[in-house]
Amino acid sequence: MTQGLPAVLPAVLPAVLPAALPALLLLAGCGGGGGGDAARIEDLARTVVAGPVTDAATRCATSLTPDFVATVYGDAETCARAGADPAAAATGASVADLVVDGDTATATVTTEGGSADGARGTWVFARTDGQWRVAEWRTDYLRSVLRARFGPSYPAVGEDDPFRDPEVRACISAALQSLADPEFRATAAEILRESRAADDAVRRWYFGCVDGADGAGPGNAGSAGVSELRRIFEEGLRGADVPREIVDCAIRTLRRTVTDAEIRRMGADGAPAPPPGVQRRINAATADCVEQLTKR
């Protein structure tokens, strides 16, 4: 699904938002088999959420309707490129409340296992040339999947994963779930397409949620020591090609001259460089430290 997000503060900070931005679903394979409409649809749903992750192109061509691919992914190439993390794969799916009306059907599908375990909502199916395909995921299902993927089963990737904090994930999830249905569906599609719009939205939510000494973030951290927000900023500075002693000296000054609120705005904006006022303070702190250290 999503393969990465841009650096949260390019040219100043590292890319702290990982490639592991939660994907909506693990999709693969093709439907078919069974001894009737109900059996075929159940088999299709299980294959879509828990089938092998190695044949995305076939999945897109045979398990999903062309309209589904166009609406959710934009085109077949993007659909085929939307990979899945095997570590987060579901183990199956259950189908309930199936209603077949000629060549269309609806059912309540529940994902079993994986990082979206328990996600539940409405799927729409369509039959063409005797084969059932997934025609739509209704908004209730998309909301449930994203709620689950930001929940307790989120597979954190090490200490550097910015989404490892459950309070930050809950904050981001709340921001996403607060969107009205049309905007929510559009945002979900952008996430599946790995688009810049999705990256920008998640970055804004992340920097609105991470704890800082400015009183924002779910925990309002920062009263003691360095806030998580400032830690991100300082790790970016330490990644510069500057001697560590100079950087550490500059950071001590910048803790007094650059506020957490300014860091939050820079992160949310995603600009290629700090605003001129902040850049001048970074330059001044660095120059002062170079002068101090060369006098020793």
Side-chain angles (χ1 to χ4, degrees), residues 21-112:
L21 173 66
L24 292 180
L25 286 172
L26 302 180
L27 304 172
C30 58
D37 289 337
R40 291 189 177 95
I41 288 171
E42 289 176 7
D43 182 57
L44 172 62
R46 283 192 295 269
T47 301
V48 164
V49 299
V53 298
T54 55
D55 196 1
T58 299
R59 179 258 347 257
C60 293
T62 63
S63 293
L64 313 174
T65 66
D67 284 347
F68 181 101
V69 172
T71 299
V72 175
Y73 293 102
D75 55 53
E77 181 180 356
T78 301
C79 180
R81 190 174 64 247
D85 179 6
T91 56
S94 63
V95 176
D97 304 322
L98 175 63
V99 177
V100 178
D101 183 7
D103 288 333
T104 63
T106 60
T108 300
V109 177
T110 302
T111 300
E112 300 171 347

Side-chain angles (χ1 to χ4, degrees), residues 65 74 100 143 168 172 185 212 260 280:
T65 66
V100 178
R143 286 188 182 277
V168 171
I172 294 171
R185 290 187 64 84
D260 278 38
R280 283 195 295 270

